[in-house]
Every structure is written in structure tokens, then in C-alpha cells.
Amino acid sequence: MTELEELADRLRRFAHDREWERFHTPKNLAMALAGEVGELLAELQWLTPEESARAMEDPEAAGRLRSELADVMIYLTRLADVLNVDLVEAAHAKLDQSDRRYDVETYRGSARKAPPLA
């Protein structure tokens, strides 16, 4: 079992033990995930790009960022588990697609959007 599978299993048991499965619908989990991403954004919102790159150097900020990242990971993992999506497989498939869309020669050093794949 991978670490991600172990985490999903632990989260599944956590929800089951508290009889929370009825609340862990895809909609509710996606909304909770969005809320946690918002909290992560709030930690970085008013920092300059340089300050945000150094945020982990501040122990208090680092603790808050770790906590928000953990919340995002937890809700994303739980949502994928409820939807029966293999996150690692899905991420590799998406990266394969992006590799085809953003060829190295055309997009090196560029932040412009590629057209959709045909």
C-alpha cells in the first residue's frame, strides 16, 4: 500500500468511526476543499513574490502553511477516495496531456495558455 493509499484508508476510517460518511458527499468535500484552499491563499495573499518564497523561513508562518497544506491534502484525498479516483494515476495522465499541449520549444519561458488538444 502506498503512503497516499494509507492516508486515504486512515481518512476513510476516521470518517466511518464518527459516522460522517453521509456528510462526505462529493459536493460537500469539494466545497470544504475550496474553503481550505482559500485559507491557504489567505496566508500568502498580501506577501510579495519574494516574501512568499521565503515564508517557510518564519516558524509561525511555516506552521500555518503546513497546517493549511495538510487540510488541502486531506480534503483532496478524501474527495478522490469517495469518487474512487486514483490521484497519482490522474495526475500522471494530466501531466502527459500537458506535455503534449506545451511542447518544450514553443513554451520554454512562456506563461501563455496553449490551445486545447484536438
Side-chain angles (χ1 to χ4, degrees):
M1 188 178 282
T2 68
E3 288 185 60
L4 188 56
E5 289 169 334
E6 287 175 9
L7 177 60
D9 186 58
R10 183 175 177 191
L11 290 167
R12 196 178 312 117
R13 287 191 321 266
F14 183 89
H16 176 78
D17 291 348
R18 289 154 183 80
E19 298 181 358
W20 287 354
E21 293 100 333
R22 65 187 163 152
F23 306 117
H24 285 198
T25 65
K27 177 197 72 76
N28 287 354
L29 290 166
M31 291 176 69
L33 174 60
E36 294 301 339
V37 169
E39 290 180 19
L40 175 60
L41 288 170
E43 290 296 327
L44 301 167
Q45 183 172 9
W46 302 114
L47 303 180
T48 66
E50 297 77 20
E51 289 169 335
S52 69
R54 294 190 314 270
M56 295 304 287
E57 295 171 12
D58 173 9
E60 287 183 27
R64 291 191 309 271
L65 285 166
R66 274 190 200 90
S67 180
E68 297 307 336
L69 285 165
D71 287 340
V72 168
M73 178 74 171
I74 286 167
Y75 279 113
L76 178 61
T77 302
R78 183 72 179 128
L79 176 60
D81 186 50
V82 166
L83 292 173
N84 201 27
V85 171
D86 181 324
L87 277 176
V88 174
E89 181 182 294
H92 280 293
K94 184 66 176 189
L95 188 54
D96 290 344
Q97 183 183 55
S98 293
D99 197 32
R100 291 190 303 277
R101 284 184 71 202
Y102 295 95
D103 67 277
V104 174
E105 293 306 316
T106 304
Y107 291 95
R108 180 178 286 119
S110 171
R112 70 190 151 103
K113 186 90 170 143
L117 286 174

